[in-house]
Amino acid sequence: MVKSYHDPIRTHAEADGLNHLAKVSPIKTPNIIHLDDHRLIMEFIDNDRRQAQWRELGSGLARMHNHTLSKQHGWHCDNFLGRSKQINTPCETWSDFFVSKRIEIHLHNLEKSTPQFGKSLNSLWDKKKSTAEKELDTVKAYSLIHGDLWSGNVIFGPEGEPYLIDPAVYRGDREADLAMVYLFGKFPDSFFDEYFITCPKSKNFQRKQKIYQLYHLLNHAVLFGDSYFSSCREILENL
């Protein structure tokens, strides 16, 4: 599989994520065959979901999250969530990081691209920000997370073995990965059954989940427009 980019930063950021996942994750990633400033050539995986081993994916992700626990969030370089740059410079706290480097960056981008909608969301966020910070302040340990974990970024080999692709890695709350799983193309129950054996839900998982999902919905609103506006508003209104 060959991926071509005009921006060398994007090319090397994706390779960096794949390399780090390959080092620590029980779940496979495609081998990198060649990397230069504009091309990332990877092993081709014949994606066959008929024998998909969802339990193996669940147990592997839980082991990766547990194995990589750290007291430090963020990442050593910025990378990309889809076409959007993802800023990974650590802050004093996890809540500061997720509020400033995830939520508010996209709220600012929306206010520039779609002023009426962006201003409306920013006004709602001003009322809900302290609630979000309180929930995020409960997180004290951070895992290496995939960062963009949805059904399109998991493929299965000829024998059903799972592979992770297209990462947007950083160290953060492991439940940020799960929030994305629930948002787009939710995985089968067998995945969650296996995952939660090793990594049970936190007490405030449902509330944090909405905050983490807001980041991805705001990113989609920036990239794809008004079809995501109502979802962003709904999450903010119900925080």
Side-chain angles (χ1 to χ4, degrees), residues 44-77:
F44 174 77
I45 308 298
D46 188 8
N47 187 17
D48 187 350
R49 302 178 92 87
R50 290 174 297 179
Q51 302 182 71
Q53 296 176 16
W54 291 102
R55 287 189 177 277
E56 183 178 333
L57 179 64
S59 64
L61 186 69
R63 282 182 284 148
M64 181 184 91
H65 285 165
N66 261 356
H67 175 67
T68 58
L69 284 173
S70 168
K71 292 183 179 180
Q72 181 63 61
H73 61 268
W75 197 237
H76 64 268
C77 64

Side-chain angles (χ1 to χ4, degrees), residues 12 15 25 52 58-59 91 100 111 116 156 163 182 199 205 215 223:
H12 288 278
S25 176
S59 64
C91 295
S100 64
E111 190 157 346
Q116 183 176 358
F156 294 90
Y163 286 78
Y182 279 100
C199 296
F205 170 71
Y215 169 49
L223 294 176

Side-chain angles (χ1 to χ4, degrees), residues 144-183:
L144 176 65
I145 63 176
H146 179 280
D148 193 12
L149 190 62
W150 68 291
S151 59
N153 285 342
V154 178
I155 59 177
F156 294 90
E159 297 180 2
E161 67 277 25
Y163 286 78
L164 297 175
I165 62 171
D166 292 347
V169 301
Y170 62 101
R171 289 187 182 90
D173 181 4
R174 62 179 179 82
E175 291 184 331
D177 262 351
L178 293 187
M180 182 59 164
V181 168
Y182 279 100
L183 184 61

Side-chain angles (χ1 to χ4, degrees), residues 11-41:
T11 312
H12 288 278
E14 181 166 344
D16 173 75
L18 288 169
N19 282 330
H20 278 86
L21 288 176
K23 289 177 184 177
V24 303
S25 176
I27 308 167
K28 296 179 179 181
T29 57
N31 293 321
I32 295 176
I33 298 169
H34 174 79
L35 172 68
D36 59 39
D37 282 352
H38 300 289
R39 288 184 305 164
L40 176 59
I41 302 176

